[in-house]
Amino acid sequence: MNEPETAERAFRLSLPNRADALSTSFAASYAGIMAFMAVASEGSFAKAGERLGIGRSAVSRNVQKLETQLSTRLFLRTTRTTQLTREGQRFFENCHQGVTHIVEAMNDMLELREGPPRGLIRISSTVGFGRKIVAPLLERFMKAYPDIAIDLLLDDKPTDFASEQIDVAFRNGRIEDSSIIARRLIPMQMALCASPAYAAARGLPRTLEQLSEHDCINFRFASGRIFEWEFKVEGNVRKVLPTARLTFNDADLVLDAVLQGWGIAQMAGYQICGHLANKELVVALDRHSPDDRGHYICYLSRQHLPTRIRVFIDFMTEQIRALDLDCLTQFNDHTLGQELAA
């Protein structure tokens, strides 16, 4: 083995010892500095021990270890007084700034948890729900909490809380991720809809098998996957991927196409409530509408939530539940048949 290889091997072998020495040195320094700062501030080893919640002898040992590590005498100790040496005074002044920053950092964290709501909230939402429901509520929220800033990301893909630094996410459907907290806001109603003009010209499907006889309009997720229509048949979920004449990757375009009479599509209740009330849409196969989906507000943990996130979750939960989005119960095949017959 040549000389460079021998030196490199020796260096590698020394790494664990160096790491252990660094760890031990840091631990000793931290305890010693805390003890030193307490003694310098209180002027007494006994009072410093009371402040730190440890015995006088422990304070003395920690200071002695620090003095040994620094090879410097920090205090002049007599039976009556404890005073800083010149070197100790210099060390105190240098340490004081760092300790002040640490205390300020801790107080800042406590204020975020317990103080007035402030700071940035990064929010993720599915595109349609974010545009139609979440975004219109933000102005009212920001007026109520002027020290909070909002960063809203609209995306239909699953939320990666860690890599995207998301604080709160709005998700639709069924939440199967046990690693997050998912608070159900409202049921997610799904309805097969058409315009009255389409229904008058083509009729509406009365069974799932009749879907193939109609012009269907599909929605494509950002991932490229086509949204499968879901129906409840004899208590079980049945998924259908219809053959479509039109496919869009934007839920609003799907809605516009249905309103213009180009075909039928299954859409979420929050999209269609107003149009149903205005009789711009009619519903088919409502007896088969799924009833186990929901709109959720999601976050990583109930513990240690900053005030800004707690108030946002509470505000959105209250406001969204207050919206009149339960609009499908009054529309059914029987009523539709009567209206079309008239």
Side-chain angles (χ1 to χ4, degrees):
M1 185 179 296
N2 58 38
E3 185 174 339
E5 290 176 343
T6 302
E8 182 181 353
R9 183 171 181 272
F11 175 74
R12 288 200 305 270
L13 291 174
S14 73
L15 285 179
N17 292 331
R18 291 188 179 190
D20 291 344
L22 178 63
S23 175
T24 302
S25 173
F26 177 79
S29 298
Y30 178 79
I33 290 172
M34 292 299 101
F36 165 76
M37 295 297 293
V39 174
S41 298
E42 298 292 338
S44 161
F45 280 77
K47 291 181 179 179
E50 294 175 1
R51 178 172 176 177
L52 296 173
I54 59 178
R56 181 189 183 284
S57 59
V59 175
S60 180
R61 283 196 303 272
N62 287 334
V63 171
Q64 287 175 3
K65 287 179 182 178
L66 180 64
E67 288 179 324
T68 300
Q69 189 177 15
L70 299 175
S71 299
T72 304
R73 190 179 185 88
L74 300 173
F75 289 104
L76 295 173
R77 284 164 275 193
T78 68
T79 55
R80 295 185 178 182
T81 63
T82 299
Q83 293 182 335
L84 288 167
T85 64
R86 290 188 179 88
E87 292 79 8
Q89 183 64 40
R90 179 173 178 174
F91 189 63
F92 176 81
E93 291 171 357
N94 288 335
C95 288
H96 187 268
Q97 185 176 6
V99 172
T100 300
H101 288 165
I102 292 173
V103 172
E104 289 175 351
M106 293 182 67
N107 288 337
D108 184 63
M109 291 300 99
L110 290 173
E111 186 176 348
L112 287 177
R113 176 67 176 82
E114 301 172 358
R118 62 181 177 86
L120 173 68
I121 305 177
R122 187 166 169 82
I123 306 160
S124 172
S125 175
T126 52
V127 177
F129 193 78
R131 285 178 180 170
K132 184 74 174 179
I133 304 299
V134 178
L137 293 173
L138 291 181
E139 181 181 5
R140 193 182 313 168
F141 175 79
M142 295 181 73
K143 285 183 178 179
Y145 300 99
D147 293 328
I148 294 179
I150 298 294
D151 184 355
L152 175 61
L153 174 66
L154 300 183
D155 200 329
D156 287 319
K157 74 176 188 298
T159 303
D160 188 333
F161 283 87
S163 66
E164 298 178 43
Q165 297 185 316
I166 298 298
D167 296 306
V168 179
F170 292 90
R171 297 288 106 182
N172 304 326
R174 304 176 186 88
I175 305 296
E176 299 175 352
D177 187 351
S178 60
S179 67
I180 64 173
I181 306 300
R183 179 189 292 184
R184 181 162 162 156
L185 298 172
I186 54 174
M188 183 179 182
Q189 298 177 319
M190 301 296 295
L192 184 65
C193 294
S195 69
Y198 180 94
R202 299 286 302 276
L204 291 174
R206 297 296 181 180
T207 66
L208 269 62
E209 289 68 29
Q210 291 179 1
L211 290 174
S212 60
E213 303 171 9
H214 288 268
D215 297 332
C216 299
I217 303 173
N218 279 341
F219 170 74
R220 184 189 301 277
F221 291 104
S223 65
R225 182 173 65 87
I226 301 295
F227 169 70
E228 293 179 293
W229 298 1
E230 289 192 3
F231 301 94
K232 190 172 183 180
V233 180
E234 297 180 354
N236 298 313
V237 174
R238 181 173 169 184
K239 295 185 177 182
V240 177
L241 185 57
T243 301
R245 291 193 63 195
L246 285 170
T247 300
F248 298 104
N249 68 347
D250 185 280
D252 288 340
L253 291 179
V254 174
L255 173 60
D256 290 343
V258 174
L259 289 169
Q260 294 179 49
W262 294 355
I264 62 174
Q266 189 178 61
M267 295 176 287
Y270 72 85
Q271 288 183 279
I272 59 177
C273 277
H275 300 292
L276 287 173
N278 294 331
K279 298 187 177 180
E280 297 168 335
L281 291 175
V282 292
V283 176
L285 296 176
D286 74 297
R287 65 185 181 278
H288 293 306
S289 296
D291 56 7
D292 62 341
R293 299 166 65 94
H295 295 287
Y296 296 85
I297 187 167
C298 306
Y299 44 101
L300 283 179
S301 174
R302 291 189 177 94
Q303 294 183 326
H304 309 308
L305 277 178
T307 308
R308 68 184 187 280
I309 297 178
R310 292 205 313 271
V311 298
F312 179 79
I313 291 170
D314 292 343
F315 177 91
M316 284 295 177
T317 299
E318 179 182 355
Q319 294 295 318
I320 291 175
R321 287 177 177 172
L323 297 175
D324 185 17
L325 297 178
D326 183 15
C327 55
L328 299 184
T329 54
Q330 58 184 304
F331 300 98
N332 55 52
D333 291 346
H334 176 69
T335 304
L336 174 60
Q338 289 181 331
E339 290 179 355
L340 293 177

